[in-house]
Amino acid sequence: MSITRWKQIIPYLARIAPYSHNLPNTFLGLYDILALPDRLDYLPEQVKLETTTRCNLACQFCGRTWAATWARGQNQIPDKKEDKRSLLNATRHAGKNLEFSTFKNLIDQFPYLSKMDVQGMGEPLINPDFIPMLEFASSRNITTQFFTNATLLSREMSNALMQQRISEISISLDGATAQTYEFIRFGANYFQVVDNISELVEARKIARKKKPIIRLSAVITSQNVEELPNLIRLGHELGVDQIVATQFKCISTSLDSWIPDQETLIRIIDESRHTAAEYKLPLAIEFAIQSKERVNAVSQSISRCLYPWFSLNITIDGNLTPCSYLPLAEGWGLGNVFQTPFADIWNSETYQKLRRNMRNGNLQQTFCQACIDKV
């Protein structure tokens, strides 16, 4: 078997096998990933779920913030603090929460579900039903992981989280100084967030648990790229388990200047790797440094993505997309689990067509050609 094929299989095994409740179904999934058929006997054991589209921040590079900006007839994030506060107020009142009863009905549609990734456009801790959702998932032996901005963490919340089946908590921290962090994530208090992270780590220590894994995740831009080595030092001081540097996705020409130049990026990544090694703190670099020629070549490449064969993303409204990298449901036409039973969607003609296009490299017929992970 080729190295490339193993690279396709390993992510499936890493995401599913450790949490599997039904080995026959897991082996069906392995067979389907090897064969890549249009129609599957396997039923997903992992879903990515959006539990809220509400948030308490107005982050400079977030799609929610820009949607609010465009709705106000503006083409760029305002500079004046009073205008930013007005925008922050607008973003805080926008969106909705997934109701607990809807969540339960949704989980019931996945008989082999063992892993739930809470992702999406909102801050999960803002949903008042989030802890009950985790408790319900835990009662079904479902392990959860989620992203949070950590602004709403408290000692009580941290203790409650330690009682659940949570494998990973990723905390968005896009700076190692208050000035940088609060500029990027407008509405947050850097020192409060750092204290909240410290309490979360302490709660895990008191609970005498190795999980959840706690990681700091930073979107790397020209605004914060120089602070990555210090973020690693901060992570070491806080006692987190990993630092993740992720790729900046430019959603507006007004943010073009936020794209870090390649020379600086290469230098900082090299320095950061040495710093991470010094502190023995794992560092994940989740983007590729590529030339324009390489990017053009990639646009013609065949995807190695396997999500349509073993996982899916569910939006707040119940619409399906293949993954959370491309969360907007418009145009996919895969179906809605609030309107149609998932069992009728998984092998629908639309889903089978998506798998055919992915398998054959016809990315121009899918939205996947815009994905940063299709190399």
Side-chain angles (χ1 to χ4, degrees), residues 127-231:
N127 188 329
D129 288 331
F130 187 59
I131 293 296
M133 289 176 180
L134 294 179
E135 291 173 343
F136 181 78
S138 295
S139 72
R140 295 290 185 91
N141 205 26
I142 298 169
T143 301
T144 303
Q145 68 178 47
F146 65 93
F147 267 87
T148 176
N149 59 36
T151 58
L152 300 177
L153 279 176
S154 63
R155 184 169 300 175
E156 180 183 12
M157 175 69 77
S158 293
N159 289 335
L161 291 173
M162 291 305 130
Q163 306 306 311
Q164 313 308 321
R165 292 180 61 90
I166 302 174
S167 60
E168 303 168 19
I169 299 177
S170 296
I171 298 171
S172 299
L173 192 68
D174 302 297
T177 64
Q179 181 178 4
T180 298
Y181 171 76
E182 292 176 8
F183 172 72
I184 294 174
R185 294 194 174 266
F186 189 76
N189 182 300
Y190 172 80
F191 295 105
Q192 183 62 61
V193 168
V194 169
D195 285 345
N196 291 348
I197 297 170
S198 180
E199 285 192 344
L200 180 66
V201 173
E202 181 65 18
R204 184 181 64 175
K205 182 179 179 181
I206 292 172
R208 298 182 179 181
K209 299 178 69 174
K210 293 183 178 180
K211 290 191 176 181
I213 292 170
I214 301 172
R215 57 170 58 95
L216 303 183
S217 179
V219 177
I220 301 303
T221 69
S222 60
Q223 307 290 327
N224 64 6
V225 61
E226 298 280 358
E227 295 188 10
L228 183 56
N230 282 335
L231 186 65

Side-chain angles (χ1 to χ4, degrees), residues 22-42:
N22 189 294
L23 286 177
N25 187 64
T26 303
F27 282 118
L28 278 175
L30 181 58
Y31 170 80
D32 285 338
I33 283 177
L34 289 169
L36 298 182
D38 296 347
R39 185 177 181 84
L40 309 181
D41 294 318
Y42 170 81

Side-chain angles (χ1 to χ4, degrees), residues 49-65:
L49 177 62
E50 187 173 56
T51 57
T52 185
T53 53
R54 296 188 61 199
C55 191
N56 58 332
L57 302 182
C59 300
Q60 296 266 17
F61 47 62
C62 179
R64 288 186 79 262
T65 307

Side-chain angles (χ1 to χ4, degrees), residues 253-272:
T253 54
S254 298
L255 293 174
D256 283 349
S257 63
W258 283 51
I259 301 173
D261 72 83
Q262 297 293 287
E263 185 177 339
T264 301
L265 195 57
I266 292 170
R267 173 176 59 82
I268 292 298
I269 287 176
D270 185 59
E271 181 183 343
S272 298

